[in-house]
């Protein structure tokens, strides 16, 4: 798997959490919203950390356009980081907290969409596939250092397990994912 596919898998795991958060919000399920928000914060902070530690510094060397895209990405990460800090200072469920989460979700959806439609395709044009596969291994190693689940930790799961988890976690696009994509995307049960 290449690094852009691995990072896209992270995005889809977070999109599943967003879908579940919005359903909890529609159902007025305050405790579920608070629990999902914590998972959202953890996933986003892990993902932005590995992008900032490994992916961004390496791909910004590619050319001037990549340098600009990464500079914009870092600013967007900063905004998201501020929103998470501000949300954490509020009481889960209160009106301002819900509004903060709504804006956080909108920001992350925009940022992840832009990475997938502009940055990642450009990275795949500029860098060799073999280099992006090596980069994915560095991203996985950093996740392991940070105590987060890696693909290796989920290797024992069957395709049926992975499909069930993807459904429970409301992973978008799950029906067309192969085993490797499911493995990269689902959170361990
Ligand atoms: Fe990012
Ligand atoms: Fe990302």
């Amino acid at each position: 798997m290449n690094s852009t596919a691995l990072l896209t898998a992270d995005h889809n795991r977070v999109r599943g959490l967003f879908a579940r958060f919005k359903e909890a919000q529609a159902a007025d399920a305050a405790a579920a919203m608070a629990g999902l928000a914590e998972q959202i914060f953890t996933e986003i902070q892990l993902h932005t950390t590995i992008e900032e530690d490994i992916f961004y510094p390496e791909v910004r060397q590619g050319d001037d356009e990549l340098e600009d895209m990464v500079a914009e990405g870092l600013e967007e990460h900063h905004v998201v980081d501020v929103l998470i800090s501000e949300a954490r200072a509020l009481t889960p469920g209160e009106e301002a907290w819900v509004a903060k989460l709504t804006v956080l979700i909108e920001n992350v959806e925009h940022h992840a969409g832009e990475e997938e439609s502009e940055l990642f395709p450009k990275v795949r044009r500029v860098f060799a596939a073999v280099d992006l596969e090596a980069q994915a291994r560095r991203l996985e190693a950093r996740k392991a250092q940070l105590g987060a689940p890696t693909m290796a930790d989920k290797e024992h799961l069957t395709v049926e397990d992975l499909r069930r988890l993807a459904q429970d976690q409301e992973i978008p696009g799950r029906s067309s994912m192969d085993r490797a994509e499911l493995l990269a995307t689902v959170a361990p049960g």
Side-chain angles (χ1 to χ4, degrees):
M1 173 160 298
N2 76 55
S3 51
T4 64
L6 191 69
L7 294 170
T8 300
D10 284 352
H11 292 174
N12 285 325
R13 186 166 55 257
V14 173
R15 288 184 177 112
L17 290 168
F18 289 169
R20 293 163 68 196
F21 182 87
K22 287 173 190 171
E23 284 165 14
Q25 184 178 2
D28 247 336
M33 285 169 77
L36 287 162
E38 276 308 317
Q39 289 181 60
I40 287 168
F41 300 158
T42 301
E43 288 283 358
I44 290 173
Q45 286 181 324
L46 173 80
H47 178 79
T48 55
T49 298
I50 65 169
E51 281 187 343
E52 290 179 20
D53 288 356
I54 293 161
F55 184 72
Y56 282 0
E58 293 180 10
V59 305
R60 76 183 307 160
Q61 318 270 346
D63 65 17
D64 287 350
E65 195 187 353
L66 283 167
E67 172 89 47
D68 291 345
M69 286 177 173
V70 166
E72 184 184 329
L74 285 168
E75 290 305 319
E76 290 176 354
H77 282 192
H78 172 68
V79 170
V80 167
D81 202 46
V82 169
L83 289 167
I84 291 175
S85 303
E86 289 175 353
R88 281 193 157 136
L90 296 167
T91 305
E94 74 176 350
E95 197 180 347
W97 180 86
V98 175
K100 198 72 76 182
L101 263 290
T102 302
V103 173
L104 171 71
I105 289 170
E106 285 169 1
N107 268 268
V108 172
E109 282 172 341
H110 165 83
H111 173 72
E114 225 170 54
E115 286 187 340
E116 289 170 21
S117 65
E118 294 172 27
L119 177 61
F120 295 174
K122 169 87 183 172
V123 166
R124 289 191 292 267
R125 285 196 298 276
V126 170
F127 291 90
V130 64
D131 293 332
L132 297 183
E133 277 163 30
Q135 188 174 57
R137 290 193 287 277
R138 290 194 291 281
L139 291 168
E140 286 279 80
R142 186 81 184 103
K143 276 191 186 180
Q145 276 178 348
L146 294 164
T150 62
M151 286 177 76
D153 297 322
K154 297 175 261 182
E155 200 56 71
H156 63 285
L157 296 168
T158 65
V159 174
E160 291 69 34
D161 292 334
L162 292 167
R163 293 218 174 280
R164 181 179 44 77
L165 287 168
Q167 180 161 1
D168 293 347
Q169 295 168 18
E170 300 187 26
I171 306 295
R174 60 186 178 274
S175 56
S176 58
M177 287 182 185
D178 62 19
R179 178 180 160 79
E181 287 171 302
L182 287 165
L183 203 57
T185 311
V186 300

